Amino acid sequence: MALRHAVLAALLDEELSGYQLAKAFDMGVANFWHALPQQLYAELTRLEKEGLVAGREVVQDTRPNKRLFRVTGGGLAELEQFAAEAAKPSFIRDDLLVKVQAADHLDPGDLIARLTERAAFSEAKAEQFEALLEKMRGDRPEGEFLLHGERIGPYLTCRRGLDFERANRDWCREVIAVLRARSAV
C-alpha cells in the first residue's frame, strides 16, 4: 500500500482541506498508516496532478483561503484497482520489541519503565477508539450498526485499532509481570 491509497480512502466521505486531512489521519487512518502532515500535503499535490483528486479554492473573509480536495472518478478507480490486488501480510516493526528481545542483558527497571509507558499509551489510545466507535454508531447497538449503518469501513478499521491497542496493553502488562517475578527470585 502506498500513502496515496490511504489519502484516497480518507477523502471518500467528504471534501477536506490539507489541515482537515491531517486531523482525520490522526484519528482514523493513522491506526493503520502513519504520515506526517507535510507528507500528506505533498501527496495531495501529486494526486491532484494525476487527476485522482480535485481541489477547489474556498475564499474566506477573515482567514486565509483554503483548498478542499475530493476523490475523482479516477481516484475511485485507483482505489478499486488497489482493493482488487492481493494484500501483503502485515509485520511488526517496533523498537520496544527489540528491547524486550534483549531483556536478559538489560536493566529490568528501565525495560519495565518503557513497557509501563507503552501500556499507558495503548490504554489511552484504546479509550479514544472506544469513544470514536460510540460516536460513529450513535445510540445503535453494534450488531445493528454493522448490519445497517451507512459506512462501516471506518468503523471496522477503528475496531481493529481498538483490538490492536488492547492487545499491546495486555502484552506489556504481561511482560512487566514476568520481569518483576524474575527480579524477585
Side-chain angles (χ1 to χ4, degrees):
M1 175 169 88
L3 177 58
R4 69 192 295 114
H5 301 116
V7 169
L8 290 169
L11 290 171
L12 284 174
D13 291 326
E14 61 185 326
E15 283 185 312
L16 297 174
S17 68
Y19 175 78
Q20 291 169 316
L21 178 64
K23 300 277 278 177
F25 246 73
D26 193 39
M27 278 308 294
V29 180
N31 302 320
F32 52 89
W33 192 269
H34 176 73
L36 298 171
Q38 54 268 39
Q39 292 172 302
L40 295 173
Y41 287 109
E43 192 61 38
L44 281 171
T45 300
R46 280 190 289 275
L47 290 169
E48 188 173 27
K49 283 180 184 174
E50 293 177 33
L52 302 179
V53 300
R56 68 180 178 93
E57 187 97 4
V58 176
V59 177
Q60 302 185 105
D61 292 331
T62 60
R63 305 171 105 178
N65 294 346
K66 67 179 178 180
R67 288 186 58 73
L68 294 179
F69 297 89
R70 65 174 174 74
V71 175
T72 64
L76 187 55
E78 171 78 15
L79 271 176
E80 288 172 347
Q81 180 181 343
F82 169 71
E85 297 170 0
K88 296 177 184 171
S90 60
F91 62 91
I92 299 174
R93 185 173 152 178
D94 186 338
D95 64 338
L96 184 59
L97 289 175
V98 174
K99 294 172 185 182
V100 172
Q101 174 74 21
D104 301 308
H105 302 280
L106 301 177
D107 177 351
D110 289 341
L111 195 48
I112 288 170
R114 299 300 75 76
L115 288 157
T116 301
E117 292 167 356
R118 178 67 64 85
F121 174 84
S122 291
E123 178 66 28
K125 192 78 170 163
E127 289 172 6
Q128 288 177 346
F129 286 137
E130 288 169 345
L132 188 56
L133 288 167
E134 190 174 306
K135 182 180 176 184
M136 281 189 231
R137 72 176 174 267
D139 59 356
R140 290 177 161 175
E142 184 174 69
E144 180 185 326
F145 176 80
L146 290 173
L147 286 176
H148 305 290
E150 290 179 28
R151 287 261 296 130
I152 60 164
Y155 189 88
L156 292 171
T157 56
C158 188
R159 277 267 313 273
R160 177 64 182 117
L162 175 60
D163 293 344
F164 178 78
E165 293 301 344
R166 284 178 175 166
N168 281 338
R169 176 202 60 203
D170 295 346
W171 178 81
C172 287
R173 290 176 178 170
E174 180 182 345
V175 174
I176 289 167
V178 168
L179 294 173
R180 285 187 174 144
R182 289 178 61 88
S183 294
V185 175

